[in-house]
Amino acid sequence: MASSARPGPADPPDVALLGFVYPGKGHLEVLEALGAIRPDVGVLVLGRASEGHEDLLDELAGRA
């Protein structure tokens, strides 16, 4: 029998950010907003850093 991986009501939700990561796109603002209102929410980045901005991934992970 297959089990459902759906979160229950007590599990915190996740927020997915889609596409390339680059300065000014809003990833940092999302992290700051979530930290202020719901710090238990997970953040999943579905995309790679734009060329030349690979260091931004480490910066965002450190902020998270």
Side-chain angles (χ1 to χ4, degrees):
M1 180 184 287
S3 67
S4 173
R6 299 179 79 180
D11 295 328
D14 290 329
V15 171
L17 304 174
L18 308 175
F20 287 102
V21 177
Y22 53 85
K25 183 169 182 181
H27 290 80
L28 181 58
E29 291 80 1
V30 169
L31 288 175
E32 290 174 347
L34 287 172
I37 60 170
R38 184 93 192 255
D40 61 335
V41 171
V43 175
L44 178 63
V45 175
L46 300 173
R48 65 176 182 83
S50 292
E51 191 172 322
H53 299 290
E54 293 82 5
D55 59 325
L56 187 55
L57 294 175
D58 289 334
E59 180 184 335
L60 291 170
R63 290 285 194 99

